[in-house]
Amino acid sequence: MIFSQTALVLIGMLLAAWTLTAGWAIVAARARQRRAEAGLRNARRLARMVDESPALPLLVRVDGRIEAPQRLANWLGLEHVPQYLTELAAGGPDNREGGLTAEQLAELTQAVRRTQKTAAPFRMVATPGGSQRSLALRGHLADPQVSPGGAALVWVFDFSDSESELARLRAEAARARGDFAALVSLIEAAPMPMWFRGADGRLQLVNAAYVAAVAGKSAESVVAAGTELVESVSGLSAAQVALQAAQHKRPIERIVPATIDGQRRALRISDLPIGGEPGDGGIAGYAIDIEDMEELGRTFRAYREAQRAMLDQLSAGVAQFDAMRRLAFANQPFQRLFALTATAAASLPPFEQVLDMARDAGRMPEVRDFPAWRHEKAEWFAAGEPQEEAWPLADGTHLRVVARPMPDGGLVLIVEDRTEQFRLSAAGGALLHTRTAMFDSLFESIAVFAPDGRMQVWNRRFAADWGLDGDFLDTHPHIEPLLERIAARLKRPPQARGVGNALRAAMVDRKQAGGRVQLADGRMLEFAGVPLPDGNGLLTVLDITDWQKAEDALHERNTALVGADAVKTRLLANMSYEFRTPLTSIGGFAELLQAGLGGELSETGKEYVTAILSSVGQLGEQVENMLDLSQGEADMLPLARDEIELLPFVTRLVEERAVRLRRGELTLDLRGDRGAGRIIGDSRRLGRAIGHLLDNAIAATPPGGRILVELSRHRKKGGERARIVISDNGPGMDPAALARALGGLKAGTAGKAAERGQGFGLPLARQLVEAHGGTFTLLSEPGQGTAAIVELP
């Protein structure tokens, strides 16, 4: 068969097209194979990621068939993944222990069906049977690309470890809440004020003791008002000191005064920063009332100093060693006797070292074996009773040493220098003559009587004062014949028994007694019986005739002065009445001029009239004060009987001084309520008395200070009484200045405190209060302020 050339070309072209098509098919097949392999690898990687993920998928189809990884079967305690959802139940035909309980499976089935119908997601928690594993199930409608037909996709999470941790944290939180509640209760029940401040220094928590100390209504009101327990000290408030403690990260403890229940108390304030860096936490604080301890400490120190000062005045040396056998105290005579320096005594040397230092100074007895002797003396500390020895020194000094062991293990050493006693014994005769000469030169009459009643020694003036015969006295008469001779020379002879009684009290009762007698010649003698250490009695007689005359003259002068004072009081009362008329006239005419009845006044004239009215008012007030004071001293003060409600009455007096308080930059705290009650009295004069006390407090308080006015009601013996306390934190007054203030003179202190007590204010206030049957007390200490206490029935 012969093909044409055209047919051959067509056949070649057809074969070429087949070849190209086959090559393209092969290349396309290889590309699809590579994509399939890549997809397979991705599917395996995704399946691996799903197996290792913390959440496992569970696909539930509409017909109930399920798809899930084998790992989920392991979580449920199953050997393999079942085909249907209902086969996840525990038990089953093979009595398996794993799987879900019937209740859990019913809940899951209901949730899955609801999701398949409404596409609503769900969450639940399940615990497989026979397992401690906790599973969280979160279901939603599956994407159609995952499973068409409305299948539900459930993600299963194993949070067993998290559940255990949550349980542990819940238990710890419960314990912490219990501990915190116990701590809060403990703080609330604490008897001392306690508080907590935030990082900004403001109060956040206070306990009941704090609320009571600041007289607050509740802890919330105290915190809201920021009421501080103590005032500012050295320009620093309590909050600023607390912030300093937080800034320096260390506690600050200080002792400051505070007013609690109307009393000034010393408090030890402690601010404790809480937290790490400043601003992270807060500042806790508490206050301890140490006023009683401070007072006890002051009393103990004063007693100790007084005791040591007294011991320094003794001639005997006294040293006290503590339980550690160290020298705790040595008076001046002890230091002199043993040549101890003040530095050595203050260094608290041991007992043995004290003996060594005294031996080095030559103030110890010469003994053969001093260490053994010193060891023997150290046994005094353990002795059961006092020990007494005589120590002769090389320089001729004779010491009497008494060692008294103390219950606390210490030792008291008493050393008496008896050198002079030995010397006096040797020179007894000379001393007797010297004593006789001395007795004879005395201004007083003296006589010494033995316990048997016989006179032993007397001086010449004794015979002269009583007019006794020297020969009679040389017989050393008994007291009875002597009293008979004395009675004969007295204006009233029975008074001689008083002389005998004084002598008997001195010799028998060992008490000093005395009296006065008048002789027949008009002289006045004063006598006294004095017990002597040796058992004898000393009778001293002094001619006081001139003194008696001077005393009588002073009595007469005092009587005249009392009369003059009464005349002065009446004169002041009359002058006060007389002053009222011209003052009323001056004030009335000045008011007429001010009203323009005398013609139009210039500006200068108006100022003059205003000054006149002001001066008339001040002078009128002083006249009223002087009149009340003079009438009170004469018991002629008339009082009205008004019913006064105390709180509004005092509030009005305080409000009248609001301008002065603002001008002086002062804070006035008025405490009280309607419970203070009512009183019966003269409202005008009581207002003047309390007004004077307020004016004095304002005048004495420096800028920035605080004045406290407290009203209360309390029961005393005799009925209920209303109390008004006006206190300030000014400079205060010493006892002398306080006495001058109550006397109507200036207190003499510097600055504004000098105004306290000026004029008639305080004496008039006291007189007006006492005229109402009340009491007035003024308490003040330098640096602690002043408190005026008024009590009215």
Side-chain angles (χ1 to χ4, degrees), residues 453-464:
R454 289 193 170 274
M455 188 167 63
Q456 291 182 334
V457 181
W458 66 95
N459 62 353
R460 288 179 293 183
R461 192 171 185 83
F462 184 86

Side-chain angles (χ1 to χ4, degrees), residues 324-403:
M324 303 299 294
R325 300 189 177 186
R326 294 176 303 182
L327 180 62
F329 168 74
N331 67 348
Q332 295 295 330
F334 187 91
Q335 297 180 28
R336 288 194 300 268
L337 287 174
F338 292 104
L340 291 178
T341 63
T343 304
S347 63
L348 306 179
F351 177 76
E352 293 81 357
Q353 185 177 350
V354 172
L355 297 182
D356 290 338
M357 290 187 293
R359 182 171 181 262
D360 294 339
R363 307 302 296 172
M364 282 285 113
E366 295 293 338
V367 294
R368 178 174 300 179
D369 189 353
F370 183 77
W373 181 84
R374 180 184 59 193
H375 179 73
E376 178 184 349
K377 304 312 170 192
E379 294 179 355
W380 284 345
F381 285 88
E385 56 185 13
Q387 306 292 320
E388 182 175 345
E389 292 184 358
W391 289 2
L393 306 185
D395 59 355
T397 302
H398 294 268
L399 301 180
R400 174 176 173 263
V401 180
V402 178

Side-chain angles (χ1 to χ4, degrees), residues 225-419:
T227 307
E228 296 292 349
L229 180 64
V230 297
E231 303 93 355
S232 299
V233 178
S234 301
L236 294 177
S237 65
Q240 290 173 332
V241 175
L243 291 176
Q244 287 183 356
Q247 181 179 2
H248 294 91
K249 302 180 185 178
R250 60 180 177 82
I252 293 180
E253 185 176 284
R254 57 199 178 110
I255 297 177
V256 296
T259 302
I260 299 178
D261 293 334
Q263 297 181 352
R264 298 293 288 178
R265 311 288 295 179
L267 302 180
R268 178 181 287 116
I269 306 294
S270 299
D271 291 297
L272 312 172
I274 298 175
E277 297 297 328
D280 292 347
I283 307 100
Y286 61 90
I288 301 176
D289 190 341
I290 60 171
E291 180 64 27
D292 296 337
M293 184 173 64
E294 288 288 311
E295 181 64 25
L296 183 61
R298 289 192 293 268
T299 303
F300 172 74
R301 288 191 294 271
Y303 174 76
R304 183 183 62 185
E305 295 301 326
Q307 185 185 43
R308 292 183 174 181
M310 179 189 67
L311 292 177
D312 283 335
Q313 302 301 320
L314 298 178
S315 59
V318 180
Q320 183 176 1
F321 295 86
D322 57 21
M324 303 299 294
R325 300 189 177 186
R326 294 176 303 182
L327 180 62
F329 168 74
N331 67 348
Q332 295 295 330
F334 187 91
Q335 297 180 28
R336 288 194 300 268
L337 287 174
F338 292 104
L340 291 178
T341 63
T343 304
S347 63
L348 306 179
F351 177 76
E352 293 81 357
Q353 185 177 350
V354 172
L355 297 182
D356 290 338
M357 290 187 293
R359 182 171 181 262
D360 294 339
R363 307 302 296 172
M364 282 285 113
E366 295 293 338
V367 294
R368 178 174 300 179
D369 189 353
F370 183 77
W373 181 84
R374 180 184 59 193
H375 179 73
E376 178 184 349
K377 304 312 170 192
E379 294 179 355
W380 284 345
F381 285 88
E385 56 185 13
Q387 306 292 320
E388 182 175 345
E389 292 184 358
W391 289 2
L393 306 185
D395 59 355
T397 302
H398 294 268
L399 301 180
R400 174 176 173 263
V401 180
V402 178
R404 178 178 292 275
M406 303 303 293
D408 61 352
L411 181 72
V412 174
L413 207 60
I414 304 174
V415 182
E416 180 184 2
D417 188 353
R418 308 192 67 178
T419 305

